[in-house]
Amino acid sequence: MTNYFLAMPEESDRTENDVLSRLLEVELAQRRAEWARVREQRQRLRAFSFAFVSVIVLGALTIFYFFFGRAHELRDLHRPTPTTSP
């Protein structure tokens, strides 16, 4: 003869399970909020890093443009002028 009453949880077990499940839900909600905050910080850091690297690259390109543009002008100035000899 099987005792079916053992399979049925008592009322105190149900309330205890409900309390435990609510506590678990609260803890998971807190963890999700923390994960969302960390994800937002990581995205912000990634955006700042991208902006910083972009500024560095643009600055380097600007410096090279002026340096090589000026070098071309200086090369033209130092080019010997052709002289005609009679």
Side-chain angles (χ1 to χ4, degrees):
M1 186 164 150
T2 306
N3 191 353
Y4 291 105
F5 295 109
L6 293 177
M8 298 290 292
E10 294 181 17
E11 188 64 33
S12 64
D13 289 340
R14 285 186 197 163
T15 57
E16 184 178 320
N17 288 340
D18 289 342
V19 169
L20 287 175
S21 67
R22 281 190 216 117
L23 289 174
L24 182 62
E25 287 175 18
V26 168
E27 183 178 346
L28 287 176
Q30 290 172 346
R31 284 188 181 186
R32 284 187 202 110
E34 177 69 19
W35 293 336
R37 189 182 62 76
V38 169
R39 187 177 336 120
E40 186 176 310
Q41 285 179 344
R42 190 177 305 130
Q43 288 173 348
R44 190 178 313 128
L45 180 64
R46 187 178 298 146
F48 286 142
S49 299
F50 181 74
F52 179 73
V53 169
S54 298
V55 166
I56 296 297
V57 168
L58 287 175
L61 289 175
T62 304
I63 289 171
F64 283 130
Y65 173 75
F66 284 118
F67 176 74
F68 287 116
R70 186 78 177 136
H72 182 66
E73 291 173 7
L74 291 175
R75 192 177 326 125
D76 288 342
L77 289 175
H78 292 297
R79 186 173 292 162
T81 57
T83 58
T84 57
S85 46

